Amino acid sequence: MTPVILLAEAKKSAEVTDWGARIGWLVGLALFIALVYWLMREGWKWRGTLQGDLPELPGAPEETGPARLSMSGRYHGSTTAGQWLDRIVAHGLGTRSRAELTLTDAGLEVERPGATDFFVPASALRGARLDKGIAGKVLTEGGLLVVTWALGDKLIDSGFRSDHAAEHTEWVDTLNQMINDTEGAR
């Protein structure tokens, strides 16, 4: 009978959550997350400022000629050539987006809805290859079309992924043949 008496004697309910402390922790956590995002944004803007010496992106000429190849897919970003983690953010090159690529005799036109379009003249193209990663995006081996091109005196790698990955090999072959033909004509 002792257990019944002990239960009957304990008329005080269990401790209720201390809502003031809990809300304080949640507000503190929210402020910490906001601070981290603000610092990341400032770092992104600072990187763009450091890369401010890059010349403006060339625009597409009025007449580019007939399309050799076209592709729909994603633009994953641009980096300093040979340094797949050194993202370039100046002039909107760091913004990932959908992309429509068109290769003509005049060069490579990259149309990006919601981001800055750019054009790479045929004389600025330096090479194309299949790779597995660029600036925070890693795919299977050969899952990324990387085009190397010159912007001023800086070599840049830009990464694209087609909606149909089987197109990548044709793009690499055609781009490299076009570059060889352009260099041979010089």
Side-chain angles (χ1 to χ4, degrees):
M1 236 197 223
T2 307
V4 174
I5 295 172
L6 292 177
L7 290 175
E9 288 178 9
K11 292 189 176 185
K12 186 176 177 186
S13 63
E15 283 289 322
V16 178
T17 302
D18 183 3
W19 288 105
R22 182 167 284 188
I23 290 172
W25 276 104
L26 288 174
V27 168
L29 180 62
L31 288 174
F32 176 73
I33 291 171
L35 174 68
V36 168
Y37 277 112
W38 180 78
L39 288 172
M40 288 169 52
R41 183 172 183 264
E42 290 300 308
W44 186 266
K45 288 180 0 186
W46 178 248
R47 181 175 275 276
T49 302
L50 292 175
Q51 296 167 348
D53 62 336
L54 284 175
E56 288 294 321
L57 297 171
E62 292 293 322
E63 205 44 53
T64 59
R68 285 185 173 199
L69 291 174
S70 62
M71 172 174 79
S72 291
R74 294 206 52 87
Y75 168 77
H76 287 289
S78 292
T79 63
T80 302
Q83 299 177 13
W84 73 284
L85 290 177
D86 186 21
R87 183 187 297 271
I88 295 177
V89 300
H91 308 304
L93 288 175
T95 305
R96 290 184 181 168
S97 62
R98 293 282 307 156
E100 297 288 331
L101 274 67
T102 306
L103 181 65
T104 65
D105 290 333
L108 177 65
E109 185 174 0
V110 182
E111 295 178 18
R112 302 186 304 154
T116 307
D117 297 342
F118 63 95
F119 179 77
V120 180
S123 61
L125 291 169
R126 298 295 184 259
R129 69 182 187 279
L130 296 178
D131 212 330
K132 65 178 180 178
I134 192 164
K137 184 65 176 180
V138 179
L139 301 164
T140 59
E141 190 66 45
L144 196 65
L145 169 66
V146 177
V147 178
T148 303
W149 54 287
L151 181 59
D153 60 350
K154 187 169 189 123
L155 286 180
I156 295 175
D157 284 341
S158 293
F160 305 95
R161 177 154 175 87
S162 173
D163 291 337
H164 308 286
E167 298 176 335
H168 289 173
T169 305
E170 182 183 9
W171 271 83
V172 169
D173 294 341
T174 305
L175 274 163
N176 286 329
Q177 183 61 45
M178 187 174 152
I179 293 163
N180 290 337
D181 292 346
T182 304
E183 288 175 357
R186 287 185 198 172

